[in-house]
């Protein structure tokens, strides 16, 4: 069953703690993405990676970090430097080339207590 | 900054009616994509239209693209209660097709 998995579905964090969100895909896609969505808003790009061991900052990278050690995995760490981390986080992947759609995971809802 | 912007922000119609949503963007693109999101879920890809295409159909969906006006529309015909969701357009940039910009979405409510 091909697709993108994100875990956990819900995550609670105390202020000052780092937390890592998991994203795995078995679609053999080169490109992977992390987005943040706030209530009633659209998606904002945090980081994206076009190939293993390479990634680029999106529009709101401050307070976040990523790694891309394997093609199928793109974990996102929300650090204590992120001022307002409570949000819905979505991971996506996409095949190579300009005319491929993005496929999204089910999302992780992070709440900072 | 975000490139795609949808309007209206919210739309409420009766089942069986058509729903039209619009998207505007700012810079040249390679393609424009429409997605649906049910509350609290991930996004589902609906349709992709290339910059050299003017219209595309998929089932009850019809998408148009006017690159001269930098705008697109999504038409859902014969709407159903199950179409209730938020709809987003996403554009890439002609200089970087790996980076996408999403609008804030149109929230569609289809009343049974």
């Amino acid at each position: 069953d091909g697709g993108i998995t994100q875990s956990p579905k819900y995550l609670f964090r105390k202020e000052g703690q780092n937390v890592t969100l998991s994203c795995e895909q078995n679609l053999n896609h080169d490109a992977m993405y992390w987005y943040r969505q706030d209530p009633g808003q659209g998606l904002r790009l945090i980081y994206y990676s076009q190939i293993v061991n390479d990634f680029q900052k999106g529009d709101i990278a401050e307070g976040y970090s990523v790694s891309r050690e394997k093609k199928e995995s793109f974990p996102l760490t929300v650090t204590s430097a992120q001022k307002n981390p409570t949000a819905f986080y979505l991971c996506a992947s996409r095949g190579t080339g300009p005319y491929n759609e993005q496929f999204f995971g089910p999302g992780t809802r992070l709440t900072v207590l | 900054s975000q490139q795609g912007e949808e309007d209206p922000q919210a739309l409420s119609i009766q089942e069986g009616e058509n729903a039209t949503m619009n998207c505007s963007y700012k810079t040249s693109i390679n393609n424009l994509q429409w997605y649906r999101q049910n509350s609290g879920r991930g996004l589902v890809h609906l349709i992709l239209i290339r910059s050299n295409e003017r219209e595309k159909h998929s089932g009850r969906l019809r998408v148009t693209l006017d690159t001269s006006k930098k705008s697109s529309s999504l038409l859902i015909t014969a709407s159903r209660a199950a179409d209730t969701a938020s709809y987003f357009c996403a554009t890439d940039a002609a200089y970087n097709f790996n980076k996408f910009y999403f609008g804030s979405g149109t929230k569609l409510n289809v009343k049974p």
Side-chain angles (χ1 to χ4, degrees):
Chain A
D1 189 22
I4 302 174
T5 56
Q6 291 186 243
S7 62
K9 188 172 182 179
Y10 299 97
L11 189 56
F12 297 90
R13 185 194 98 175
K14 292 182 180 178
E15 277 194 37
Q17 287 181 336
N18 291 356
V19 63
T20 297
L21 282 59
S22 169
C23 177
E24 303 276 333
Q25 55 100 359
N26 62 3
L27 301 168
N28 200 33
H29 286 165
D30 286 315
M32 295 187 74
Y33 304 80
W34 274 106
Y35 294 93
R36 170 184 171 135
Q37 187 178 34
D38 293 287
Q41 301 296 313
L43 278 66
R44 291 185 291 169
L45 183 64
I46 304 173
Y47 269 99
Y48 65 106
S49 169
Q50 297 170 237
I51 199 167
V52 174
N53 292 322
D54 186 48
F55 48 82
Q56 287 79 40
K57 292 182 179 180
D59 300 315
I60 56 164
E62 187 175 349
Y64 300 97
S65 67
V66 293
S67 64
R68 188 85 188 277
E69 296 175 2
K70 298 186 294 182
K71 187 175 185 178
E72 58 270 24
S73 178
F74 191 40
L76 173 74
T77 297
V78 185
T79 75
S80 56
Q82 169 50 234
K83 300 299 180 193
N84 184 21
T86 294
F88 189 47
Y89 290 88
L90 288 156
C91 178
S93 72
R94 181 169 173 263
T96 304
Y99 302 118
N100 290 303
E101 63 265 34
Q102 290 184 86
F103 291 88
F104 281 83
T108 292
R109 189 166 298 281
L110 173 64
T111 303
V112 175
L113 305 172
Chain B
S1 60
Q2 286 184 332
Q3 169 148 253
E5 288 297 334
E6 297 90 342
D7 85 273
Q9 290 186 334
L11 182 59
S12 186
I13 59 175
Q14 292 292 140
E15 211 166 23
E17 293 180 341
N18 294 343
T20 300
M21 289 157 265
N22 302 296
C23 170
S24 60
Y25 58 93
K26 295 175 184 172
T27 65
S28 297
I29 60 172
N30 293 294
N31 69 74
L32 184 146
Q33 304 182 35
W34 284 93
Y35 291 84
R36 184 187 75 232
Q37 184 182 37
N38 291 92
S39 183
R41 310 291 287 273
L43 275 69
V44 174
H45 182 265
L46 296 176
I47 201 162
L48 180 153
I49 186 164
R50 300 185 182 198
S51 59
N52 61 355
E53 296 176 317
R54 292 297 167 257
E55 189 170 311
K56 206 160 182 183
H57 297 256
S58 176
R60 293 184 294 113
L61 307 180
R62 172 179 170 253
V63 168
T64 61
L65 178 64
D66 186 337
T67 52
S68 66
K69 294 181 179 177
K70 293 186 171 58
S71 67
S72 173
S73 67
L74 170 67
L75 169 67
I76 304 174
T77 60
S79 63
R80 306 166 182 168
D83 295 327
T84 294
S86 291
Y87 292 82
F88 295 91
C89 70
T91 55
D92 66 357
Y95 59 86
N96 184 356
F97 61 78
N98 282 305
K99 195 173 178 182
F100 289 87
Y101 300 90
F102 284 79
S104 53
T106 292
K107 196 164 186 177
L108 175 66
N109 180 32
V110 181
K111 295 176 280 187

